[in-house]
Each structure stands twice: as structure tokens, then as C-alpha cells.
Amino acid sequence: MHRYRGSRRVSSGQQSESSSSSSPERAEDEDTDFFTSQANDSQSSIGISTFRDMTVSPSAERQRYIFPVSRLPPELLITVFARLSSPADLKNCMLVSKTWAKNSVDLLWHRPLCNTWQNLLNVAHSVKKTDSYFAYYDLVKRLNLSTFGDEVSDGTVTPLAVCKRVERLTLTNCTKLSDFGVTSLVNGNRSLLALDISGLDLISDHTLLTVADNCTRLQGLNITGCKQVTDQSLIAVSERCRSIKRLKLNDCSQVTNQSVVAFAKNCHQMLEIDLHNCEMVSDLSVTALLTHGRHLRELRLAQCSLINDDAFLALPHDRHLDSLRILDLTACENLTDKAVEKIIHAAPRLRNLVLAKCKRITDRAVIAITKLGKNLHYVHLGHCAQITDQAVNELIRVCNRIRYIDLACCHRLTDVSIQQLATLPKLRRIGLVKCQSITDRSILALATARIGPGMIHHGVSSLERVHLSYCVHLTLQGVRELLKYCPRLTHLSLTGVQAFLREDLIEYCREAPAEFTDHQRNVFCVFSGPGVSSLREHLTREEQYQNAHPQPHGNPGDVSIIYDGAHPHAAIQGAVAVIPDAQQVAGMMGATVLGADDMDEEFGEDSELGVEEQG
């Protein structure tokens, strides 16, 4: 007998009786396959508490139309979500569907935003919850608390100790953290790749021994300023964390050759190491690093005063450091020309070379540096007072891709070499602090952008930062032309230049650092950012006024320039600078006497080449 079964079917367009009023209607674009695969949907933390009541029969589901966006594979969804920069947008994506939530939650929690105390409290509360749909504590891969600085204590980080899959942990300058707080975050974490605890004075060997026991995958370690750390824990780290590629031991006063040699021998993938101001590190460490570090790209040895020529001369003659790109030997005062020659021979592809305050090097070292040719982009020769025009001219002729150069306190240099410097087509920043022999001829040459031999391109000089403090022979007119024809200039230092110690000009310079003496403040004159633009506009208005109201005689200290063309280059030969008398020069340099050599650095605080002159 034929039976009629139609009444027992539930139409796909009607609400199921089994779910009745307790189940909300599905959105038309809701995903289906993910729901039925979940064992316990009621524990979702996304905000919908009735996911388990939303299942429908497979036959009914097949009859529903599935929007194209619901058929996108996870790879494409994640790629799209990754382009959302706002955490709020990612959160909204999580609320769309389970599939969207599954593919966006990692992006939202990969690096939780901890820029305010409220955000940090929210993160701490979420990772402690045990009934969440997602295990948020396992999703956190990057944790950065450096924003809070000394407000962070051991109690602050204790709730975050459940996050055992953090890959990058940054606690920079959280000075109240002790071994207890840091070890709670590190203990049991087998995923940590990078740890930054720079500036934490309370950290001792206990923390690093914990790192050595747990974080065998570690690739980056920054313990700058951790003065209680000794060789004992560092040797343990070098033996158990052999994948370390980047290591910063700046200002770790107890570090000796023993631990540095251990890293050199055990960590063969080392790319960068910074030993700034590690006063007990000597030649043995440097030789070991260069001998074993075949992949070494950056080596920073600033203020390591025990290093001398033997550190480099001990290298085998056939040792080639083809990967080395950056070498910083600031204030390694025992180095001579022989060491520089060996360095250039072993590392012919150096890009950045810093020899500031290596006072024993001469023109011979500079001639050796010319062998770097077009590889050289950045060279710092500040305080190398024995260098002359001849060597600098040869350097510029051969290394014509230099972008940054510092020749501060090279008092033997004259307009001859500075005019040659002006021919560098890619020059961005130049330091000439206390080069007392240069005049407006040099400045006018710098204002002329050259794009090839003998070719002058007006108005598009590439200069961005120029440091001319204590160049006492400069005048207002020369600097005015520099500002006029260097539109990209964002930093100009003229501390101690008499022509700029005028009230109407000083109002555009930035504030002197708080630690300066009254005498240093009186001669401080540095223009940055908007101050450069304001100074340029002021001097332009002043020039326009002077042109409209010509004076029979120029002001004392101004430069008299005879123009036979529209660009200042045409006036270089006719420039006559009025040189200040001996008393003025002595007054300007008086501020320099107040500070030590390391208080008159050549480049600005935010410069790549150093800190602002404090003479």
C-alpha cells in the first residue's frame, strides 16, 4: 500500500520543529561544515550561545544557496584578514561566523595590543579563562610591555605566565622586573625565539640559566645594561641555545672574553653581535668572532678600549668575511693603519665603517678604505685628526656611492675636500663639526646638487642633515643659500656659529638638552623638522626685504657675493668671507672646552650616525 510521507518532511524554508523557538534563524551566508564538526559548540566565547541548536539536516543544507565568500579556502580568508590593520575590524570578523572566527582569531591574538593598562588587564583576564572557546593563552606569539616601562612589576606579568607559546618577548626598560617575574614568563616556554630584557638592572644569572634550560630555539637575545649577568650564565646559553643569530651585550660590565669566545665557537649562525662598552673584551674575542663567524654581518665594538691591531692581524691571510657589512670600532684608540688595511682585505664588501675617535689612523688608512669602492655607503671618521684633503679627495673619487659621511674634528680639512664632497650624487648626511678651516665656499658647493661629472642640477640637492657646529668662519649668506637649494633638509646644526646667535633666528631652534650648562645653552643652535622650514622662510623674507631696500654697505660678518648667474655655484669664485677675529673664535670654542670629546658628537639624537653635539 502506497504511503504518503510528505507531512513528515521539514521544508527548508520553514523553521524546524525540533529547534522551535530556542534556535535563531540562520543567516543566509552562514557556513555549515564547521558547525557539525564541533563536539561542544555551547562553550563558544564569540558571543553566540546557541550554536549547538543551529544544525540542520544535510539534505536541507544542500538545498540552501552558499554564497561565494563562504566557499573561500582558509588560506585566502587569512590573507584577506591579514590586511586589516584595526583590531576592531578583526574582532568584527570573528563575530560573523565560526569559520571566520577560526581564521581571524590568530591574527587578532598573535600580538595583543598592550598599549594601555586597560588593554593589558583585558588580555590578562582573557588568557586566564579556562572555559573560552579558543585557548587564547596559546595564541599569543608576541608580547611587548616596553610601553609601561618602570610601571611594570613582577605582579603585573604573573597572570601572563600561562602564555607558553610566546615567540618574541620584549620587556625593555621594565626596570622593576626581577628574576622572579621574567623567569615566570620564560619557564616552560619552548617556543621563545627572541628575548629583550635590556635595561633591567635587577636581572641576574638566574634568569639566563632559566633561558638556557627552556629556550633552546632562541635566536635573539638583548641584555643591554644587565650589569649583574656574568660569564657563567652566558656560557650556558651559548652551549644550549646554539641557534642564536643576534646578540646584544652592551654595557654588560662583567662580560669577558670567556663568554664571547663561547658564543663564537658554539653559535655558528651568528649574524649580529654588539659588545658596546664591554670594557673587559679584548683581541681574543674579536679574533674568535671573525674566525668562526662565517655568516657574521654586523660587529659592533664601540668603546672596547682593550682592542688593538692584534685582533685583526691574527686572522689567517686567506680568511674572507664576505658577509660582513657593518663594523663599528668607535673609540678603539689603539687601532692603527695596519688594522684598517687588514680589515679591508678580509671584508671587501663592507658597507658601513665606523672609525670615530680612532685617533691613530692617518691618510694611509683612508687610502685602504678606498678599496671598498662602490660598496661603501656610510663612513665615520670623526676625530681622526690626522686625515688630510688628499686622502678624502681620493676616497670621494673612488667611493662615489657614499650616503653618510662624518669628518667632525678633522681640523686639517679645508674647502678643497669639502667642495669635492659636494660632488657625491647620493650624499644625504654630512658632519663637519669643528672643521674650522672651511668657509662659505664649501657651503655653497654643498648647495649645488651634481648628477654627474661637470653636470649641475639646480634645486634638488639630496642633502637631508648637515652638521656645521663650531665652523666659525661661516656666515649668514652661505647658510641661506644652503637652505634655499636643499629642499629636503630636515636637520641643520649651527651651534657656536656667531652669525646665527641672533634672537630672531634662535627662536626657530629647538630647546637645548636639560643637562647643558648655561654657557653651552648660550651657543646652542640646532634646527630640526619644522624649525628648518621656519628658518628658511624667515631668511627668504629677510633677503626679499634687503633686495627691496638695498643698503650702501653690508653688515659686519656677512659675506659679499658677486653673482653672475642664477645659482650660488656661479658665485663661489667671487665669495669673500669676513673671518671673525681671534677673540670671536676663542669665544665660540670656549663652549667646546667645557665638554669632553664624547660630549660634542657630530650627529643628532635621532640620526643614524650618533648623538647631537653637546659642545
Side-chain angles (χ1 to χ4, degrees):
M1 179 177 179
H2 180 71
R3 295 182 180 181
Y4 177 71
R5 298 175 182 270
S7 61
R8 296 191 179 188
R9 291 184 178 273
V10 178
S11 170
S12 62
Q14 298 178 348
Q15 185 176 359
S16 170
E17 294 179 2
S18 63
S19 59
S20 65
S21 60
S22 65
S23 176
E25 280 293 319
R26 290 190 51 163
E28 291 187 8
D29 61 342
E30 191 64 49
D31 299 297
T32 59
D33 54 341
F34 186 76
F35 295 148
T36 57
S37 65
Q38 301 302 311
N40 185 5
D41 291 331
S42 64
Q43 295 183 8
S44 170
S45 62
I46 301 177
I48 301 177
S49 60
T50 54
F51 275 142
R52 64 180 176 181
D53 297 326
M54 295 173 65
T55 58
V56 294
S57 67
S59 58
E61 186 60 31
R62 283 194 295 270
Q63 296 178 24
R64 298 181 63 86
Y65 174 76
I66 300 177
F67 282 88
V69 70
S70 299
R71 298 196 295 268
L72 288 176
E75 294 83 358
L76 288 181
L77 283 174
I78 293 173
T79 301
V80 172
F81 295 150
R83 295 186 176 272
L84 298 176
S85 58
S86 169
D89 291 340
L90 283 171
K91 179 182 177 182
N92 290 334
C93 289
M94 286 184 62
L95 299 176
V96 171
S97 69
K98 279 191 174 182
T99 299
W100 278 39
K102 179 182 177 181
N103 291 298
S104 60
V105 66
D106 281 347
L107 295 170
L108 185 61
W109 278 87
H110 176 79
R111 181 169 52 190
L113 189 63
C114 297
N115 59 344
T116 66
W117 275 109
Q118 187 57 52
N119 286 349
L120 182 59
L121 291 174
N122 291 341
V123 170
H125 176 72
S126 297
V127 298
K128 288 193 301 182
K129 293 179 66 175
T130 58
D131 59 345
S132 298
Y133 183 77
F134 294 108
Y136 295 115
Y137 51 84
D138 280 342
L139 299 179
V140 178
K141 297 296 187 292
R142 297 188 180 185
L143 189 58
N144 188 340
L145 303 182
S146 60
T147 302
F148 304 103
D150 58 6
E151 297 178 358
V152 174
S153 64
D154 291 341
T156 307
V157 301
T158 300
L160 302 174
V162 296
C163 301
K164 297 304 182 184
R165 294 190 178 181
V166 174
E167 296 176 354
R168 298 181 184 276
L169 178 59
T170 304
L171 303 171
T172 308
N173 293 325
C174 297
T175 53
K176 291 184 179 178
L177 284 178
S178 68
D179 288 328
F180 177 80
V182 179
T183 53
S184 68
L185 296 174
V186 171
N187 193 24
N189 187 336
R190 310 297 181 186
S191 303
L192 195 63
L193 298 178
L195 175 63
D196 187 344
I197 51 175
S198 54
L200 275 62
D201 298 332
L202 302 178
I203 296 302
S204 69
D205 285 341
H206 178 66
T207 293
L208 289 188
L209 289 173
T210 304
V211 171
D213 291 337
N214 291 271
C215 311
T216 55
R217 298 177 57 200
L218 194 68
Q219 296 180 13
L221 177 63
N222 185 351
I223 60 169
T224 297
C226 297
K227 299 183 183 300
Q228 296 187 45
V229 173
T230 69
D231 287 339
Q232 178 190 359
S233 60
L234 289 174
I235 292 174
V237 171
S238 72
E239 292 174 346
R240 300 171 194 172
C241 307
R242 293 176 177 257
S243 298
I244 286 184
K245 297 180 180 179
R246 294 173 175 83
L247 180 64
K248 287 183 176 291
L249 305 177
N250 309 19
D251 296 309
C252 293
S253 54
Q254 299 192 57
V255 171
T256 71
N257 290 331
Q258 191 176 2
S259 56
V260 177
V261 171
F263 277 108
K265 292 182 177 180
N266 296 321
C267 303
H268 299 296
Q269 301 180 50
M270 188 74 72
L271 299 176
E272 304 170 9
I273 183 166
D274 193 338
L275 300 172
H276 178 273
N277 204 30
C278 292
E279 298 178 348
M280 291 193 286
V281 169
S282 66
D283 301 336
L284 186 62
S285 293
V286 179
T287 304
L289 288 169
L290 296 179
T291 300
H292 298 282
R294 297 189 176 275
H295 304 288
L296 196 63
R297 293 193 309 214
E298 297 185 18
L299 178 58
R300 302 179 186 274
L301 302 167
Q303 310 293 335
C304 295
S305 56
L306 297 181
I307 295 174
N308 58 38
D309 290 352
D310 292 339
F312 304 98
L313 297 181
L315 292 173
H317 181 73
D318 59 349
R319 182 71 176 100
H320 296 293
L321 305 167
D322 293 329
S323 298
L324 193 61
R325 296 292 182 273
I326 298 175
L327 180 60
D328 185 352
L329 297 169
T330 300
C332 295
E333 297 183 350
N334 294 320
L335 294 180
T336 68
D337 296 336
K338 291 182 179 179
V340 177
E341 290 173 336
K342 180 63 177 181
I343 290 168
I344 303 304
H345 172 77
R349 302 182 66 183
L350 269 176
R351 186 183 63 204
N352 293 17
L353 180 60
V354 182
L355 296 171
K357 299 180 182 178
C358 295
K359 299 180 180 180
R360 299 179 65 183
I361 70 171
T362 67
D363 284 355
R364 177 180 164 186
V366 179
I367 297 301
I369 294 172
T370 62
K371 295 179 181 179
L372 295 175
K374 294 182 179 180
N375 292 320
L376 187 63
H377 290 177
Y378 173 128
V379 59
H380 197 318
L381 298 170
H383 296 264
C384 298
Q386 299 185 57
I387 294 174
T388 67
D389 286 336
Q390 182 180 359
V392 173
N393 286 342
E394 183 64 14
L395 177 69
I396 296 163
R397 186 185 68 82
V398 180
C399 304
N400 57 10
R401 292 190 179 179
I402 292 176
R403 290 165 171 78
Y404 317 108
I405 187 167
D406 183 352
L407 298 168
C409 299
C410 296
H411 59 82
R412 296 189 181 186
L413 300 184
T414 68
D415 290 333
V416 174
S417 55
I418 309 305
Q419 286 175 306
Q420 188 69 17
L421 272 172
T423 65
L424 291 171
K426 297 180 180 293
L427 189 62
R428 300 288 185 272
R429 308 183 185 187
I430 182 171
L432 299 171
V433 174
K434 298 181 185 174
C435 292
Q436 301 164 27
S437 298
I438 68 172
T439 68
D440 281 348
R441 294 178 184 272
S442 295
I443 306 308
L444 294 171
L446 290 172
T448 304
R450 294 178 182 269
I451 58 175
M455 302 173 64
I456 299 175
H457 193 50
H458 302 300
V460 290
S461 171
S462 58
L463 280 175
E464 298 172 358
R465 302 174 69 90
V466 179
H467 300 258
L468 301 169
S469 294
Y470 301 106
C471 296
V472 294
H473 294 161
L474 300 185
T475 68
L476 186 64
Q477 184 62 39
V479 176
R480 176 187 290 150
E481 300 303 325
L482 181 69
L483 287 166
K484 182 186 300 184
Y485 292 101
C486 297
R488 300 177 184 175
L489 200 64
T490 59
H491 184 96
L492 177 63
S493 65
L494 294 163
T495 296
V497 178
Q498 180 66 35
F500 279 81
L501 300 181
R502 290 173 19 187
E503 290 297 331
D504 60 321
L505 301 181
I506 288 182
E507 66 174 290
Y508 302 115
C509 79
R510 70 187 193 192
E511 291 292 328
E515 64 271 18
F516 273 22
T517 65
D518 290 340
H519 193 75
Q520 289 171 327
R521 289 176 179 277
N522 290 337
V523 297
F524 182 80
C525 188
V526 176
F527 304 90
S528 294
V532 175
S533 300
S534 299
L535 177 65
R536 181 186 291 114
E537 293 170 1
H538 178 84
L539 293 180
T540 299
R541 291 193 300 268
E542 184 179 75
E543 183 181 34
Q544 292 173 346
Y545 178 84
Q546 291 176 353
N547 291 338
H549 304 82
Q551 299 294 325
H553 301 289
N555 294 328
D558 279 352
V559 67
S560 174
I561 298 182
I562 304 171
Y563 284 93
D564 54 2
H567 193 272
H569 179 72
I572 292 177
Q573 298 301 323
V576 180
V578 177
I579 300 176
D581 58 29
Q583 185 176 1
Q584 287 178 308
V585 173
M588 290 302 97
M589 299 309 295
T592 306
V593 178
L594 296 177
D597 284 343
D598 57 351
M599 290 190 63
D600 53 27
E601 289 298 337
E602 298 75 26
F603 285 80
E605 294 167 353
D606 52 348
S607 168
E608 298 177 40
L609 300 184
V611 294
E612 182 53 66
E613 63 273 8
Q614 301 180 30

